[in-house]
Amino acid sequence: ILVLWDKSYLDANLCEGNVFFHKFKYGDIRIEVEYLYTMDYLSCVLSAYKQTRNDLYKEKYLELFEMFVEYIKNENIFENVTELDLPIMGQILVVIKAVDILGYIPHKDVIVSLFIKYADWLMNDENYSFNNNHGLFLDLALLHLSVFLREHPDSEQWQKHALERTKKLFSVAYYD
């Protein structure tokens, strides 16, 4: 569907069934899952729709987003990914981008519920990387959630915690 998409990495059009259940033929399981979770392909489809307003791209986004919703309903995301910083951040950004371009969130209740689970996971310092860029991605994800779900009663706490950890991260990772 997209001429500029790197099909050597993933051609979503050639995957049988749900693309989010697809396993690459290469051996690096982290890349296999992380790449799909970041939803780069969905982002590219949204960009193409925004630029062209061709409904083909919108329909492809909605088709793939349906697959993502099916996937998150059937998988425990927290058990299947070795590093969740980029996948979580990617999912949040793609949903925000979809709201900007489409004006709504498909399966809003499911996605908001997932994002609240992410916020709980992101708030737990046991899941945090205090000495490298992975911690920064976790904090960015939490900050985005605090704004995107600003009506949630814990959103201010999410924001405060992310900012505090970011300050600590900079003092450890960049100044020690």
Side-chain angles (χ1 to χ4, degrees):
I1 190 168
L2 298 173
V3 176
L4 299 177
W5 183 250
D6 182 358
K7 290 185 174 115
S8 65
Y9 211 175
L10 169 68
D11 185 347
N13 297 305
L14 298 179
C15 293
E16 293 183 23
N18 188 326
V19 66
F20 292 95
F21 287 105
H22 177 73
K23 300 293 183 203
F24 287 95
K25 59 187 173 191
Y26 311 108
D28 188 347
I29 188 70
R30 203 177 116 231
I31 289 175
E32 292 174 11
V33 179
E34 184 176 66
Y35 193 73
L36 290 176
Y37 272 104
T38 59
M39 305 194 330
D40 287 343
Y41 189 77
L42 284 172
S43 180
C44 288
V45 173
L46 281 171
S47 293
Y49 176 68
K50 182 178 181 179
Q51 291 170 1
T52 67
R53 290 298 178 196
N54 183 333
D55 283 338
L56 174 69
Y57 294 116
K58 180 180 178 180
E59 291 165 12
K60 179 54 92 172
Y61 172 81
L62 293 172
E63 173 191 336
L64 292 170
F65 199 80
E66 289 289 327
M67 290 182 189
F68 175 68
V69 169
E70 176 189 343
Y71 181 80
I72 62 175
K73 286 181 176 179
N74 293 301
E75 287 288 313
N76 184 346
I77 292 173
F78 298 105
E79 291 179 4
N80 293 330
V81 180
T82 55
E83 292 178 357
L84 284 168
D85 56 335
L86 294 175
I88 288 175
M89 184 66 181
Q91 292 170 29
I92 293 166
L93 292 178
V94 166
V95 169
I96 291 171
K97 184 175 185 174
V99 171
D100 180 51
I101 294 171
L102 302 177
Y104 68 97
I105 305 171
H107 299 280
K108 181 178 180 178
D109 292 342
V110 173
I111 297 304
V112 168
S113 176
L114 175 67
F115 284 2
I116 291 169
K117 287 179 189 174
Y118 283 169
D120 291 341
W121 188 87
L122 291 164
M123 286 287 290
N124 185 342
D125 287 342
E126 291 180 15
N127 301 321
Y128 190 72
S129 301
F130 280 98
N131 61 352
N132 59 46
N133 62 324
H134 295 280
L136 186 58
F137 282 116
L138 295 172
D139 288 332
L140 287 171
L142 194 55
L143 285 169
H144 277 85
L145 286 177
S146 74
V147 174
F148 189 65
L149 300 175
R150 66 184 157 274
E151 302 300 320
H152 191 278
D154 295 331
S155 66
E156 286 183 36
Q157 183 182 358
W158 300 340
Q159 188 175 64
K160 181 180 176 185
H161 193 62
L163 291 172
E164 288 171 356
R165 285 194 311 204
T166 301
K167 289 177 190 175
K168 287 180 189 174
L169 177 65
F170 275 95
S171 68
V172 171
Y174 301 102
Y175 298 114
D176 277 354

